[in-house]
Amino acid sequence: MPRRTHVCRQILPIVLNSFHSVQSRRLLPLAMAFAVIALLLPQLSSAQNTVLNFENLPQAPLITQYANKGVTFNGHMLRDYSQTPGFTHSGHEAVELCFAAEFCSSPLQADFTVGQSRVKVWVGFSSPMSAAATVALQAFNQNGTLIRQVTAVLGPSNTPILVRTPLQINTTDANIRRILVTFLPTTNVPAFNNGLVVDDFEFRTAGGPPVCTTTVSPAVQLQQPLANTVFQTNNFPLQGQVATAAPLQSATLTVTNSAGTKSSSLLGILIQQSGGPFGVTSVFDELAPGSNSVKVTAANCHGSGQSPITVSYQPIVQGTGFKLIGMEVVQATQDLQNTVPLVAGKPAMVRLYLAVTGPTSSIDSVSAAITATHPGSNTSLPNLRSVNSVTVTSSLDPHTSRHDLAKTINFMLPADWYAEGTLHISVSEIDVHGTTSPVPCDGCENNDNVGPLFTHFQPTKALNLVLAPYVYEPHSQPGLVATPDIFFTPMGALQWLNDVYPLSGNFPAIESAVNIVRILPMQTTTKNLHDGGEQDDFLNDLDDLLDNLRSDAGNSWPSDVHLLAMTPCGCGGIGNAPGGAGMADTWAVEHGVVPQKNFESYGAVWSHELGHNFGRQHAGDAHDEEAPQDLSFPYPHGGIGEPGLALTTEWWNASPFLIDPGIPATGQQHAHDFMSYGDANDLADHTHDWISPYTYKALFQQFLDLNARSAPRQNLIVHGSIAKSGDVVFRPFHIATTAFAGESAESAEYRIELQDAAGRELVSQPVSISRRDRSSSKYFSAYIPWHPETKRIVMKDKNKILADREVSSHKPNLHILSPKGGETWGATATITWKATDEDGDNLTFTVLYNARQNDQWIPLAAGLKEQSVTINTSLVPGSKKARIRVQVTDGVNTAEADSGAFVVPEKPPLVAILGLKNGMTLSAEKSNLVGAAYDPQDGMLPSGKLKWTSSRGGLLGEGARITPRRLAAGRHTITLTATNSRGHRATAKVNVIVRGTRVNGHEPMPPTALRFPANTPS
């Protein structure tokens, strides 16, 4: 009942009481007049004003109901309170702003087609209020100028606040053309209108409907469901878009089938007045078996448009079931028996192989959820839903289905699932068309070994890597200068390596187990790296550099560090097998920006050469692989044997990306193990390099030893080669304190003995034999505990002496000439020294640098015969107390000298945005941003030092890889800012275009699900 009736009931008893108390009949006419006036006042007031009481409204925005009275609303008031006692003001209904919208600041806006002199509303709040808030009624003229504002305070209250607070504005001129009802912001709290309830909207003068501003009817496009789709459950997805040049007056979903026709309003619920995208929404219980017509109709002031399609509903026959016939947990490669070990902290996927049993032979749009428990625990991990849906048939063959991700139900595991530990994984739910399926599943508990009964994630150690960039300027090719790309290529190649190696993390995130310890200062090589002999010489120089990285007690270099030189030689690479040093090709900056497609080929080359370091030989001999060959490699033609899975290489392939092994026969396309010489580019269509289970398992064993470091000791570091003829060549030895014990020896065939002056054995130790591509020689190295009485070093094959070296009586003398101390280095610096030896031995020199920020001595050059060297300082860490150390060996005896302190200017970080190019188009919904920064002082910068911003969205996040929340459609300048520990900053920028699913400037509605309880027959 309207409040005005309540008011009349209060006035009338007062008037009648006055009538009975009158002593004189002369007052009767006056009393009766008052009574009549009292009864007529509300009616007279009502006759002069229009009151919208929101009674009996269908579920649609207010514009549909009241445009004929000259007022249109913004369509935000969507909640009907007819079923909620206590929120009545007029009759039994009221409306609420921003219902089901989080942090909604939208006010109630009403626009009039004619000017008003009076507007009044009643307000309340739909829930308890913890603090008082001020609600305002604001009136504006036709120019948008605020005429007047009135306010009232609601709350605090422990219960919902009834709609009994009036707000009213009167003007002498009929100049009110728009009103807003809204909460006002406070100093610390913005204005959110969630819960604000409005009733009895009153205004002075009703007008005509708004003038139609368009001559075009709406255009409706349905994206889901697709025409002729067959549904097996009684629900279907609804998604599409409406284009309209004027506000919509109605939007309706109509479903016609054998049960009749039902219509439901979508306006304000799914489709907005301004049109735009809508859905995805699930519509339940509207289909009937057989053919169904689904139609969305939208109308504006000019006319209507529609998009009808036909679908079918064929329910699943009773007696049908699912059967789990396989489960696979994969990180890079796996077999059906799940024998490939899993690494803790490495991204992982679960693949389910599901089949149908019973009378229904095929069920489409099947998705699932899995859960997991730790053995001995009764607590399950939260349900994890699949990232895809598939069609499940009765004829599923796991052997062929493994070759297609679209045929298995896939789950990307969250990090807490693949942390160190053991899991039992089971299927917790199967959905059909997005609805939990009542169809039973045989084996979903995973207790019958259909999958790995227990999944173990084991920790592995890091790959500690020092990169050594070399300008390629071979003496045999005058004028050729190729400068290595020292950042983009390593970032891409090492992400690929992180994907295929049994290493945790996701490079270039600092948490990755691919640990770039240092990028050494740039050097130049004049060796022709296409020549086998000069390649060997270059690798020998790298061995000398590596010895320095592994030397010196207290040095902070990891004892198991690997050294990889990168130079743009176009020559592939070379590496000791086994060993710690190698060389691999890289991009030349003279050629511009490295193409993204090259990351995979560089990744395969780098993985190959480092694989040699870990003892891996070439995968067979089908591609004329040179020694060392592994003739026990189990897969034909150097293939990968099992499907590979790339989970983190999203720069150049979609992730996850399946690598099909193909058919490993001559002339047939197939993927190659990166330890093979098989070149995918030899084929007309590019296949891929990846890793086989055989190589993965072998590398896994190499990375299992988490405690490889031993106590430092003084060692004689021995290097040399044994020619095919048996001749032995010793490299210069030197004595150093190191915690590295050397690579394990394959056998005791070759030994190094340290003998005293009388020829007595002091120390005897087997040596490690390694091999190199394109070389018939064997290479040996050993870290021999040094004995101070040693006078002779002997190489033996069993008891046969192959070579020996006498230990001179005197150490060399050494003095550094420059820097003397106090200098400031520029872009290049020349270091000189003076060395002599009383025994007249040939001397070999190594130059190291220390920034005095830690105990790392960084090798600048090794294997030098001259007594000076010029250094490129671009990657030399800055310091105000820098020092140089020069080491000299006469072949065994070692001496060193340090310079005085000098200054090297600090450098800003190197920063790169990876995988994006200027002008590239990104998705608004999900865009992965990947970047990295290396600082000459600090090394690889951690996530907290990398900040992403957008010219339109401000701060996007921190870290090497982020997935920002929805980006606004349009042009963006994405900036990655890197800050080192000293506050020096550097930025990288890229201009991109974000492609949203916006239509007519509007964002899509979020996914939801609808049931229409109030369907009305047409």
Side-chain angles (χ1 to χ4, degrees), residues 269-351:
I269 302 172
L270 185 62
I271 298 175
Q272 302 307 300
Q273 293 176 359
S274 53
F278 61 86
V280 178
T281 298
S282 292
V283 180
F284 293 88
D285 304 325
E286 299 298 317
L287 301 176
S291 179
N292 292 257
S293 172
V294 176
K295 178 174 64 177
V296 172
T297 303
N300 60 19
C301 56
H302 179 267
S304 64
Q306 58 184 229
S307 180
I309 62 159
T310 300
V311 299
S312 295
Y313 174 36
Q314 298 178 6
I316 299 171
V317 180
Q318 187 174 3
T320 299
F322 291 112
K323 182 176 178 60
L324 180 65
I325 59 175
M327 177 188 296
E328 179 180 335
V329 186
V330 57
Q331 291 179 318
T333 183
Q334 191 56 271
D335 53 36
L336 267 177
Q337 294 73 39
N338 285 275
T339 66
V340 177
L342 300 170
V343 174
K346 185 178 182 67
M349 173 186 277
V350 167
R351 303 179 68 187

Side-chain angles (χ1 to χ4, degrees), residues 855-872:
D855 53 2
Q856 277 189 357
W857 284 92
I858 299 171
L860 300 180
L864 300 173
K865 302 299 182 182
E866 299 81 11
Q867 298 193 22
S868 69
V869 66
T870 298
I871 301 298
N872 180 325

